[in-house]
Amino acid sequence: MASRRETLSGPRGLQLSLPLLLALLLLRPWPAAAHGGKYSREKNEPEPPAQREPGEEFRMEKLKQLWEKARRLHLSPVKLAELHADLKIQERDELNWKKLKIEGLDEDGEKEAKLVRNLNVILARYGLDGRKEAQLVHSNSLSDSTQDDGLGDPRLEKLWHKAKTSGKFSSEELDKLWKEFLHHKEKVAEYNVLLETLSRTEESYENAISPDLSQVKDDVLYSKHGELKDRLRSIHQGLDRLRRVSHQGYSPTAEFEEPRVIDLWDLAQSANFTEKELEAFREELRHFEAKIEKHSHYQKQLEVSHQKLQHVESLGDSEHVSRSRERHALLQGRTQELGYKVKKHLQDLSSRISRARHNEL
């Protein structure tokens, strides 16, 4: 039985076999995919995510420039992550202030002056103020300060020496105490930055001749003096605590371990909180301390990641380097995010204590 062969009618009734028709279709010229046809690979595959330029981290131009300057200084990854969080807080506060200013809610300039003071502290803390020798120690940094660096204050040096040689502290407790000493040193340095800013502000007001500035001057300087008083009170309380711990050792029933939390708790107990409010504040401090511990864990991981990345880059395996950089960038982003949350939480808790203190007046 003869096999049946499928045919189709071509132009002018020409009989074409199916294989021949397919061959003709394949030989027909088609638009090249490289030219961006509707169904080309380029049109249908998702584009790789755009690489964020370093300056795009921040919306405000001056903060972009500070961030770029810090990156050129080759700060450690941990310190860069801390700076990133500080600048994000500063940007949030400045953008909020701009809205308040439009609504006429900062007529005396008090909030603007506070923003300037905060930025001055950030500049000094990370050596961005042009005076690198005045760079502040950061007690939350893990590897930038060692016990050989000194504390810059004979009283602190004497207390630290007494604690080290007393035999009352384990090595772990000494590490914890050293962190408290660094925190105290940082508070004193920030106080001095604010004091210097106050002096410059007073000098500029004295040189102003407009009588309209007199009330603004009084309001702003009162605000600054109030902030200085609060910080000085915290410094005195912190020094008293260091004296007590250095002489007596750590109590087994200590409420908190993290220096910033200890500070907040000491200040809260002397603020105008009711018993119920104080208990609620204590519970929130426990959550805050857990958040700090989580952030510290990520900081340690970031430091290790940076060391591994440097090792991989020295080997020159481009594929391995690419993977390591990607993992490091993810870890850096997470550390920056947690740092921002810690600083924002600290800011909120400090504001609550400050409001409670002012309610006493």
Side-chain angles (χ1 to χ4, degrees):
M1 186 175 178
S3 62
R4 184 182 176 188
R5 187 172 184 178
E6 295 186 21
T7 61
L8 294 172
S9 295
R12 299 178 183 177
L14 182 64
Q15 300 291 315
L16 299 175
S17 67
L18 185 58
L20 181 58
L21 181 61
L22 290 173
L24 290 172
L25 289 171
L26 290 172
L27 290 173
R28 176 186 173 185
W30 294 89
H35 293 164
K38 181 178 180 181
Y39 300 106
S40 67
R41 177 179 299 176
E42 288 82 355
K43 291 290 185 182
N44 289 278
E45 282 190 354
E47 294 184 7
Q51 292 293 321
R52 173 181 281 187
E53 294 296 326
E56 293 179 6
E57 295 280 351
F58 302 95
R59 294 163 59 185
M60 300 182 67
E61 187 60 34
K62 68 177 179 182
L63 299 185
K64 289 180 185 179
Q65 292 175 5
L66 284 175
W67 179 244
E68 284 306 297
K69 180 178 180 180
R71 288 167 66 91
R72 291 194 298 271
L73 289 177
H74 303 295
L75 299 177
S76 72
V78 170
K79 205 151 195 174
L80 262 182
E82 282 293 294
L83 171 62
H84 188 277
D86 277 330
L87 292 179
K88 279 294 184 184
I89 291 284
Q90 181 74 16
E91 183 170 62
R92 182 202 66 172
D93 291 345
E94 291 208 22
L95 292 175
N96 287 339
W97 167 76
K98 286 184 177 182
K99 295 177 184 177
L100 293 176
K101 186 180 180 182
I102 291 172
E103 297 169 4
L105 298 178
D106 190 31
E107 292 183 359
D108 59 4
E110 179 184 334
K111 293 181 175 61
E112 182 181 11
K114 183 173 176 60
L115 288 170
V116 172
R117 298 197 295 273
N118 290 343
L119 187 59
N120 283 336
V121 170
I122 293 173
L123 294 177
R125 177 180 291 161
Y126 299 97
L128 299 173
D129 56 355
R131 297 179 300 170
K132 200 164 186 179
E133 72 279 359
Q135 184 172 336
L136 306 189
V137 64
H138 201 302
S139 60
N140 204 36
S141 179
L142 297 164
S143 59
D144 291 343
S145 297
T146 66
Q147 295 178 12
D148 296 329
D149 291 341
L151 293 164
D153 183 335
R155 294 173 303 173
L156 297 182
E157 298 283 3
K158 185 176 179 180
L159 287 175
W160 174 241
H161 178 73
K162 181 177 181 62
K164 279 198 303 183
T165 57
S166 67
K168 297 177 181 177
F169 299 91
S170 66
S171 59
E172 184 178 333
E173 287 174 333
L174 279 176
D175 288 341
K176 186 169 77 171
L177 183 59
W178 174 250
K179 194 173 181 181
E180 287 200 50
F181 273 101
L182 287 182
H183 177 62
H184 185 82
K185 180 182 177 181
E186 179 187 0
K187 287 196 300 183
V188 172
E190 290 188 358
Y191 174 83
N192 289 332
V193 170
L194 289 175
L195 195 58
E196 184 180 344
T197 306
L198 175 61
S199 299
R200 290 200 303 267
T201 304
E202 289 182 329
E203 185 179 342
S204 66
Y205 278 128
E206 286 172 2
N207 294 332
I209 58 175
S210 171
D212 297 336
L213 289 175
S214 59
Q215 183 59 46
V216 174
K217 169 186 173 180
D218 291 342
D219 290 341
V220 172
L221 295 183
Y222 176 80
S223 163
K224 296 185 77 171
H225 281 299
E227 184 178 356
L228 285 171
K229 284 176 64 178
D230 287 344
R231 287 183 178 253
L232 195 57
R233 182 189 295 111
S234 175
I235 287 170
H236 287 320
Q237 287 184 348
L239 185 59
D240 288 343
R241 171 183 164 76
L242 288 174
R243 286 196 185 102
R244 186 171 65 253
V245 173
S246 299
H247 285 82
Q248 301 174 5
Y250 280 110
S251 167
T253 58
E255 191 81 36
F256 301 105
E257 294 188 3
E258 213 286 331
R260 284 168 291 179
V261 181
I262 293 170
D263 267 357
L264 288 170
W265 180 235
D266 286 346
L267 290 170
Q269 290 179 95
S270 58
N272 191 28
F273 285 125
T274 65
E275 188 174 338
K276 186 177 180 180
E277 288 171 336
L278 189 61
E279 184 56 39
F281 196 83
R282 184 208 308 256
E283 187 60 31
E284 188 166 352
L285 285 179
R286 291 195 182 104
H287 293 297
F288 180 51
E289 188 166 58
K291 189 181 291 184
I292 291 175
E293 289 171 358
K294 183 177 181 180
H295 180 222
S296 296
H297 169 75
Y298 271 87
Q299 285 182 312
K300 292 174 185 174
Q301 294 302 310
L302 182 62
E303 194 66 44
V304 171
S305 171
H306 179 63
Q307 292 169 3
K308 287 182 178 178
L309 177 58
Q310 287 181 316
H311 174 68
V312 170
E313 287 176 336
S314 69
L315 299 177
D317 183 343
S318 58
E319 186 177 347
H320 197 181
V321 168
S322 178
R323 289 198 304 269
S324 295
R325 283 178 178 168
E326 185 177 342
R327 286 195 296 268
H328 183 73
L330 288 172
L331 189 57
Q332 187 175 42
R334 183 60 176 146
T335 307
Q336 289 173 352
E337 180 186 352
L338 281 170
Y340 174 83
K341 290 180 178 179
V342 166
K343 290 175 186 295
K344 183 177 181 300
H345 201 168
L346 175 61
Q347 191 182 60
D348 293 342
L349 292 169
S350 300
S351 296
R352 283 170 56 185
I353 293 174
S354 181
R355 287 196 299 270
R357 283 192 176 281
H358 291 157
N359 287 340
E360 295 173 1
L361 304 177

Short mmCIF file of all heavy atoms in Angstrom, two decimals, residues 175-211:
data_model
loop_
_atom_site.label_atom_id
_atom_site.label_comp_id
_atom_site.label_asym_id
_atom_site.label_seq_id
_atom_site.Cartn_x
_atom_site.Cartn_y
_atom_site.Cartn_z
N ASP A 175 36.97 42.69 80.56
CA ASP A 175 36.60 43.15 79.21
C ASP A 175 35.35 44.01 79.28
O ASP A 175 35.24 45.05 78.62
CB ASP A 175 36.37 41.96 78.28
CG ASP A 175 37.66 41.26 77.89
OD1 ASP A 175 38.73 41.88 78.04
OD2 ASP A 175 37.60 40.09 77.46
N LYS A 176 34.39 43.56 80.09
CA LYS A 176 33.14 44.31 80.24
C LYS A 176 33.41 45.67 80.91
O LYS A 176 32.87 46.71 80.48
CB LYS A 176 32.15 43.49 81.08
CG LYS A 176 30.78 44.12 81.18
CD LYS A 176 29.77 43.15 81.78
CE LYS A 176 29.90 43.04 83.27
NZ LYS A 176 28.79 42.29 83.90
N LEU A 177 34.27 45.68 81.93
CA LEU A 177 34.60 46.93 82.62
C LEU A 177 35.34 47.89 81.69
O LEU A 177 35.09 49.10 81.71
CB LEU A 177 35.43 46.64 83.87
CG LEU A 177 35.78 47.84 84.75
CD1 LEU A 177 34.53 48.54 85.24
CD2 LEU A 177 36.66 47.40 85.92
N TRP A 178 36.25 47.35 80.87
CA TRP A 178 36.97 48.20 79.93
C TRP A 178 36.00 48.89 78.97
O TRP A 178 36.18 50.06 78.64
CB TRP A 178 37.98 47.35 79.15
CG TRP A 178 38.69 48.10 78.06
CD1 TRP A 178 38.54 47.94 76.72
CD2 TRP A 178 39.66 49.14 78.24
NE1 TRP A 178 39.36 48.82 76.03
CE2 TRP A 178 40.06 49.56 76.94
CE3 TRP A 178 40.23 49.76 79.35
CZ2 TRP A 178 41.00 50.57 76.73
CZ3 TRP A 178 41.17 50.76 79.13
CH2 TRP A 178 41.55 51.16 77.85
N LYS A 179 34.98 48.17 78.56
CA LYS A 179 33.98 48.76 77.67
C LYS A 179 33.24 49.90 78.38
O LYS A 179 32.93 50.92 77.76
CB LYS A 179 32.99 47.69 77.22
CG LYS A 179 32.12 48.11 76.05
CD LYS A 179 31.29 46.95 75.55
CE LYS A 179 30.43 47.37 74.38
NZ LYS A 179 29.57 46.26 73.88
N GLU A 180 33.01 49.75 79.68
CA GLU A 180 32.37 50.83 80.45
C GLU A 180 33.29 52.05 80.53
O GLU A 180 32.82 53.20 80.43
CB GLU A 180 32.02 50.35 81.86
CG GLU A 180 30.83 49.40 81.91
CD GLU A 180 30.22 49.34 83.30
OE1 GLU A 180 29.95 50.42 83.88
OE2 GLU A 180 30.02 48.22 83.81
N PHE A 181 34.59 51.82 80.72
CA PHE A 181 35.53 52.93 80.76
C PHE A 181 35.56 53.66 79.41
O PHE A 181 35.60 54.90 79.37
CB PHE A 181 36.93 52.42 81.12
CG PHE A 181 37.18 52.34 82.61
CD1 PHE A 181 37.11 51.13 83.28
CD2 PHE A 181 37.51 53.48 83.34
CE1 PHE A 181 37.34 51.06 84.64
CE2 PHE A 181 37.74 53.41 84.70
CZ PHE A 181 37.66 52.20 85.36
N LEU A 182 35.57 52.91 78.32
CA LEU A 182 35.56 53.53 76.99
C LEU A 182 34.29 54.35 76.77
O LEU A 182 34.32 55.43 76.18
CB LEU A 182 35.68 52.47 75.90
CG LEU A 182 37.04 51.80 75.71
CD1 LEU A 182 36.97 50.82 74.55
CD2 LEU A 182 38.14 52.83 75.46
N HIS A 183 33.18 53.82 77.23
CA HIS A 183 31.91 54.52 77.08
C HIS A 183 31.97 55.85 77.84
O HIS A 183 31.50 56.89 77.34
CB HIS A 183 30.77 53.65 77.63
CG HIS A 183 29.43 54.30 77.59
ND1 HIS A 183 28.82 54.69 76.41
CD2 HIS A 183 28.58 54.66 78.58
CE1 HIS A 183 27.65 55.24 76.69
NE2 HIS A 183 27.48 55.24 78.00
N HIS A 184 32.56 55.82 79.04
CA HIS A 184 32.67 57.05 79.82
C HIS A 184 33.59 58.04 79.11
O HIS A 184 33.29 59.25 79.05
CB HIS A 184 33.22 56.74 81.21
CG HIS A 184 33.26 57.92 82.11
ND1 HIS A 184 32.16 58.37 82.82
CD2 HIS A 184 34.27 58.79 82.41
CE1 HIS A 184 32.49 59.44 83.51
NE2 HIS A 184 33.76 59.72 83.29
N LYS A 185 34.68 57.55 78.55
CA LYS A 185 35.61 58.42 77.82
C LYS A 185 34.91 59.08 76.64
O LYS A 185 35.11 60.27 76.36
CB LYS A 185 36.81 57.59 77.35
CG LYS A 185 37.85 58.39 76.57
CD LYS A 185 38.99 57.48 76.10
CE LYS A 185 40.00 58.27 75.26
NZ LYS A 185 41.10 57.39 74.79
N GLU A 186 34.08 58.33 75.95
CA GLU A 186 33.34 58.86 74.81
C GLU A 186 32.37 59.96 75.26
O GLU A 186 32.24 61.00 74.59
CB GLU A 186 32.58 57.73 74.10
CG GLU A 186 31.77 58.21 72.91
CD GLU A 186 30.89 57.12 72.34
OE1 GLU A 186 30.90 55.99 72.88
OE2 GLU A 186 30.17 57.39 71.37
N LYS A 187 31.68 59.73 76.39
CA LYS A 187 30.73 60.74 76.88
C LYS A 187 31.45 62.05 77.20
O LYS A 187 30.94 63.13 76.89
CB LYS A 187 30.01 60.21 78.13
CG LYS A 187 28.99 59.14 77.85
CD LYS A 187 28.05 58.95 79.03
CE LYS A 187 28.76 58.54 80.28
NZ LYS A 187 27.83 58.30 81.40
N VAL A 188 32.62 61.95 77.82
CA VAL A 188 33.37 63.16 78.16
C VAL A 188 33.81 63.89 76.89
O VAL A 188 33.71 65.12 76.79
CB VAL A 188 34.60 62.80 79.03
CG1 VAL A 188 35.48 64.03 79.23
CG2 VAL A 188 34.15 62.24 80.37
N ALA A 189 34.28 63.13 75.90
CA ALA A 189 34.73 63.74 74.64
C ALA A 189 33.57 64.43 73.93
O ALA A 189 33.73 65.54 73.40
CB ALA A 189 35.37 62.68 73.75
N GLU A 190 32.40 63.82 73.91
CA GLU A 190 31.24 64.43 73.26
C GLU A 190 30.79 65.68 74.02
O GLU A 190 30.37 66.67 73.41
CB GLU A 190 30.10 63.41 73.17
CG GLU A 190 30.38 62.30 72.18
CD GLU A 190 29.18 61.40 71.94
OE1 GLU A 190 28.13 61.64 72.58
OE2 GLU A 190 29.29 60.48 71.12
N TYR A 191 30.89 65.64 75.32
CA TYR A 191 30.57 66.81 76.13
C TYR A 191 31.49 67.98 75.75
O TYR A 191 31.05 69.12 75.60
CB TYR A 191 30.71 66.48 77.62
CG TYR A 191 30.53 67.67 78.54
CD1 TYR A 191 29.27 68.10 78.92
CD2 TYR A 191 31.64 68.37 79.02
CE1 TYR A 191 29.11 69.19 79.76
CE2 TYR A 191 31.49 69.46 79.86
CZ TYR A 191 30.21 69.87 80.23
OH TYR A 191 30.06 70.95 81.05
N ASN A 192 32.77 67.68 75.57
CA ASN A 192 33.72 68.73 75.21
C ASN A 192 33.43 69.30 73.82
O ASN A 192 33.61 70.50 73.58
CB ASN A 192 35.15 68.19 75.27
CG ASN A 192 35.61 67.93 76.70
OD1 ASN A 192 35.15 68.60 77.63
ND2 ASN A 192 36.50 66.97 76.88
N VAL A 193 32.99 68.44 72.89
CA VAL A 193 32.62 68.92 71.56
C VAL A 193 31.44 69.88 71.67
O VAL A 193 31.41 70.95 71.04
CB VAL A 193 32.27 67.74 70.63
CG1 VAL A 193 31.65 68.25 69.33
CG2 VAL A 193 33.51 66.92 70.32
N LEU A 194 30.43 69.52 72.48
CA LEU A 194 29.27 70.38 72.66
C LEU A 194 29.65 71.69 73.33
O LEU A 194 29.13 72.76 73.00
CB LEU A 194 28.20 69.66 73.49
CG LEU A 194 27.49 68.50 72.79
CD1 LEU A 194 26.56 67.80 73.77
CD2 LEU A 194 26.71 68.99 71.60
N LEU A 195 30.56 71.61 74.29
CA LEU A 195 31.02 72.82 74.99
C LEU A 195 31.71 73.78 74.02
O LEU A 195 31.48 74.99 74.04
CB LEU A 195 31.98 72.42 76.11
CG LEU A 195 32.29 73.46 77.19
CD1 LEU A 195 31.02 73.92 77.89
CD2 LEU A 195 33.29 72.89 78.18
N GLU A 196 32.51 73.21 73.13
CA GLU A 196 33.20 74.02 72.12
C GLU A 196 32.19 74.64 71.15
O GLU A 196 32.31 75.80 70.77
CB GLU A 196 34.20 73.16 71.35
CG GLU A 196 35.04 73.95 70.36
CD GLU A 196 36.02 73.07 69.61
OE1 GLU A 196 36.27 71.93 70.07
OE2 GLU A 196 36.52 73.51 68.56
N THR A 197 31.18 73.85 70.77
CA THR A 197 30.14 74.38 69.88
C THR A 197 29.38 75.52 70.56
O THR A 197 29.06 76.53 69.92
CB THR A 197 29.13 73.26 69.52
OG1 THR A 197 29.84 72.14 68.99
CG2 THR A 197 28.12 73.74 68.49
N LEU A 198 29.11 75.37 71.84
CA LEU A 198 28.43 76.42 72.60
C LEU A 198 29.25 77.71 72.61
O LEU A 198 28.73 78.80 72.42
CB LEU A 198 28.17 75.95 74.02
CG LEU A 198 27.57 76.98 74.99
CD1 LEU A 198 26.20 77.43 74.49
CD2 LEU A 198 27.46 76.41 76.39
N SER A 199 30.55 77.57 72.80
CA SER A 199 31.41 78.75 72.83
C SER A 199 31.38 79.48 71.50
O SER A 199 31.31 80.72 71.45
CB SER A 199 32.86 78.33 73.16
OG SER A 199 32.92 77.71 74.43
N ARG A 200 31.42 78.71 70.39
CA ARG A 200 31.37 79.34 69.07
C ARG A 200 30.03 80.04 68.85
O ARG A 200 29.97 81.12 68.26
CB ARG A 200 31.62 78.30 67.98
CG ARG A 200 33.04 77.77 67.94
CD ARG A 200 33.34 77.15 66.58
NE ARG A 200 32.41 76.09 66.25
CZ ARG A 200 32.62 74.80 66.51
NH1 ARG A 200 33.74 74.44 67.13
NH2 ARG A 200 31.73 73.90 66.17
N THR A 201 28.94 79.40 69.32
CA THR A 201 27.61 79.98 69.15
C THR A 201 27.49 81.28 69.92
O THR A 201 26.98 82.28 69.41
CB THR A 201 26.53 78.99 69.63
OG1 THR A 201 26.69 77.76 68.93
CG2 THR A 201 25.14 79.53 69.37
N GLU A 202 27.96 81.29 71.16
CA GLU A 202 27.89 82.51 71.97
C GLU A 202 28.70 83.63 71.35
O GLU A 202 28.29 84.80 71.34
CB GLU A 202 28.38 82.21 73.40
CG GLU A 202 27.41 81.34 74.19
CD GLU A 202 27.89 81.09 75.60
OE1 GLU A 202 29.11 81.05 75.81
OE2 GLU A 202 27.05 80.92 76.48
N GLU A 203 29.85 83.27 70.79
CA GLU A 203 30.70 84.28 70.16
C GLU A 203 30.01 84.89 68.94
O GLU A 203 30.05 86.10 68.72
CB GLU A 203 32.03 83.64 69.74
CG GLU A 203 33.02 84.64 69.17
CD GLU A 203 34.34 83.97 68.80
OE1 GLU A 203 34.58 82.85 69.29
OE2 GLU A 203 35.10 84.57 68.02
N SER A 204 29.32 84.04 68.15
CA SER A 204 28.64 84.55 66.96
C SER A 204 27.47 85.45 67.35
O SER A 204 27.20 86.45 66.69
CB SER A 204 28.13 83.38 66.09
OG SER A 204 27.12 82.65 66.77
N TYR A 205 26.77 85.13 68.46
CA TYR A 205 25.67 85.98 68.91
C TYR A 205 26.17 87.32 69.45
O TYR A 205 25.55 88.37 69.27
CB TYR A 205 24.84 85.27 69.98
CG TYR A 205 23.84 84.30 69.43
CD1 TYR A 205 23.79 82.99 69.89
CD2 TYR A 205 22.94 84.68 68.43
CE1 TYR A 205 22.86 82.09 69.38
CE2 TYR A 205 22.02 83.79 67.93
CZ TYR A 205 21.98 82.50 68.40
OH TYR A 205 21.08 81.62 67.89
N GLU A 206 27.33 87.29 70.10
CA GLU A 206 27.89 88.53 70.63
C GLU A 206 28.27 89.48 69.50
O GLU A 206 28.21 90.70 69.64
CB GLU A 206 29.12 88.21 71.49
CG GLU A 206 28.75 87.61 72.84
CD GLU A 206 29.98 87.12 73.60
OE1 GLU A 206 31.10 87.31 73.07
OE2 GLU A 206 29.81 86.56 74.70
N ASN A 207 28.68 88.89 68.36
CA ASN A 207 29.07 89.72 67.22
C ASN A 207 27.88 90.21 66.42
O ASN A 207 28.02 91.08 65.56
CB ASN A 207 30.01 88.94 66.29
CG ASN A 207 31.34 88.64 66.97
OD1 ASN A 207 31.77 89.38 67.84
ND2 ASN A 207 31.98 87.55 66.57
N ALA A 208 26.69 89.64 66.67
CA ALA A 208 25.50 90.07 65.94
C ALA A 208 24.98 91.37 66.55
O ALA A 208 24.99 91.56 67.77
CB ALA A 208 24.42 88.98 66.02
N ILE A 209 24.51 92.28 65.69
CA ILE A 209 24.08 93.57 66.19
C ILE A 209 22.57 93.74 66.17
O ILE A 209 22.04 94.71 66.69
CB ILE A 209 24.72 94.71 65.36
CG1 ILE A 209 24.33 94.57 63.88
CG2 ILE A 209 26.22 94.73 65.51
CD1 ILE A 209 24.82 95.72 63.01
N SER A 210 21.86 92.77 65.59
CA SER A 210 20.41 92.91 65.47
C SER A 210 19.74 92.67 66.81
O SER A 210 19.92 91.61 67.43
CB SER A 210 19.87 91.93 64.43
OG SER A 210 18.45 91.93 64.46
N PRO A 211 18.92 93.59 67.31
CA PRO A 211 18.21 93.38 68.59
C PRO A 211 17.16 92.29 68.49
O PRO A 211 16.76 91.73 69.51
CB PRO A 211 17.56 94.75 68.86
CG PRO A 211 17.45 95.40 67.51
CD PRO A 211 18.63 94.92 66.73
#
